[in-house]
């Protein structure tokens, strides 16, 4: 990191407000103990779906961003689908309902019984009535890529062999195997989420911070300052997930 900057990157939250709250407390304590500049916080995307409290996660980040100017949020593929569903895209709405969107809409106060009996037209009406405009505006303000020092922060990864300035947003949010298989040096070290691993993946060319919080009960972050980096994790209850 450039001199005078301290940064924390937070992996995929997926509606686990309980873990987010605990991890933020850890970060604030760590920030105070280390002294120096205020920490910048980068959230790597996938705030919503699968876990039980997506609406509460978004509320927390809206408030946090208002309190701290150094908060930045990347748009994950789940937020992309959520925004598409809110915009009336029928394909996105169907995908939303298959990838954890049920938990998201229930977090906005829709009852399980109403959700279970809704067709897609009714589901769209439930969404636009339940989701505040402030939440939609917040998600629309999320970024695709953040470069800091020798690192680039994205949600899913980058396409190998393509300069950072020419990366497509769809790759930054959805790419998987081509990026994960890459071994050649990249333009910068990539910090990403999107692909779940049991532990933080720490390789010379990439750092993977998605430890499957919504099912494992482990939300991971990494701090950066100068040439140092360190891990912070919040451990909570595991959630049984159907195969």
């Amino acid at each position: 990191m450039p001199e005078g900057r301290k940064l924390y990157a937070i992996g995929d939250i997926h509606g686990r407000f309980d873990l987010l709250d605990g991890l933020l407390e850890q970060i604030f304590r760590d920030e105070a103990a280390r002294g120096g500049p205020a920490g910048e916080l980068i959230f790597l995307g996938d705030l919503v779906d699968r876990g039980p409290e997506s609406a509460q996660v978004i509320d927390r980040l809206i408030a946090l961003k208002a309190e701290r100017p150094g908060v930045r949020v990347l748009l994950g593929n789940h937020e992309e689908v959520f925004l598409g569903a809110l915009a009336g895209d029928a394909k996105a709405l169907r995908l939303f309902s298959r990838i954890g969107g049920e938990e998201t809409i229930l977090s906005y106060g829709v009852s399980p019984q109403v959700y279970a009996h809704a067709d897609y037209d009714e589901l769209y009406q439930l969404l636009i009535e339940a989701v505040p405009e402030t939440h939609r505006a917040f998600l629309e303000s999320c970024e695709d890529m953040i470069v800091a020092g020798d690192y680039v922060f994205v949600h899913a990864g980058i396409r190998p062999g393509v300069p950072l300035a020419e990366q497509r947003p769809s790759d930054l949010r959805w790419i998987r195997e081509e990026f994960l298989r890459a071994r050649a040096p990249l333009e910068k070290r990539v910090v990403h989420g999107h692909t779940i691993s049991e532990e933080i993946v720490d390789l010379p060319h990439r750092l993977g911070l998605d430890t499957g919080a919504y099912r494992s009960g482990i939300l991971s972050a990494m701090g950066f300052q100068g040439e140092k980096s360190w891990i912070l994790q919040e451990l909570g209850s595991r959630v049984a997930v159907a195969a």
Side-chain angles (χ1 to χ4, degrees), residues 8 19-32 219 231-235:
Y8 298 89
L19 300 179
L20 170 63
D21 212 34
L23 184 61
L24 287 174
E25 288 302 317
Q26 281 197 54
I27 288 173
F28 299 153
R29 289 195 300 269
D30 183 81
E31 176 185 50
L219 179 60
I231 294 171
L232 300 99
Q233 290 183 311
E234 179 67 13
L235 310 180

Side-chain angles (χ1 to χ4, degrees), residues 4-8 31-32 35-41 68-70 224-225:
R5 294 183 73 178
K6 180 166 59 198
L7 191 148
Y8 298 89
E31 176 185 50
E40 303 168 52
L41 275 60
R68 298 174 60 112
F224 304 87
Q225 187 171 19

